[in-house]
Amino acid sequence: PENLEVAGGAAEFYYRNDFKNLAARLARLDRDSTRVAEYRKLALERVASRYTWDAVTDAYERLFHEVAANRRPTSS
């Protein structure tokens, strides 16, 4: 799930213990450099917009405040 979140839900990269399926997906990507370049561009944009230091530190601060207040942490 963590990798799927970072990939933005791109089904090309997601597999669930199905190595034949993974091999087929990787082979398809290996033959399509244009698609790989587009995924690379989208991944960089997604990471740059979602995983900033401000977002990470804000999430940690929320977590620590909730823990300090003896509340059950919530997901963001």
Side-chain angles (χ1 to χ4, degrees):
E2 296 83 8
N3 292 333
L4 186 59
E5 176 188 334
V6 173
E12 287 291 330
F13 299 105
Y14 190 68
Y15 71 98
R16 190 171 277 170
N17 293 328
D18 182 353
F19 297 111
K20 287 182 183 178
N21 180 264
L22 174 61
R25 289 171 190 249
L26 290 174
R28 186 172 41 226
L29 288 172
D30 190 45
R31 293 187 303 270
D32 192 349
S33 61
T34 302
R35 183 178 289 204
V36 171
E38 181 63 21
Y39 281 145
R40 180 179 295 121
K41 177 182 173 239
L42 292 172
L44 289 172
E45 289 171 359
R46 181 175 175 85
V47 168
S49 70
R50 292 188 59 150
Y51 301 101
T52 65
W53 280 112
D54 286 339
V56 171
T57 56
D58 288 347
Y60 268 112
E61 285 179 356
R62 270 193 315 277
L63 174 66
F64 294 145
H65 285 287
E66 290 175 3
V67 170
N70 288 322
R71 291 183 292 176
R72 184 181 170 99
T74 60
S75 60
S76 43

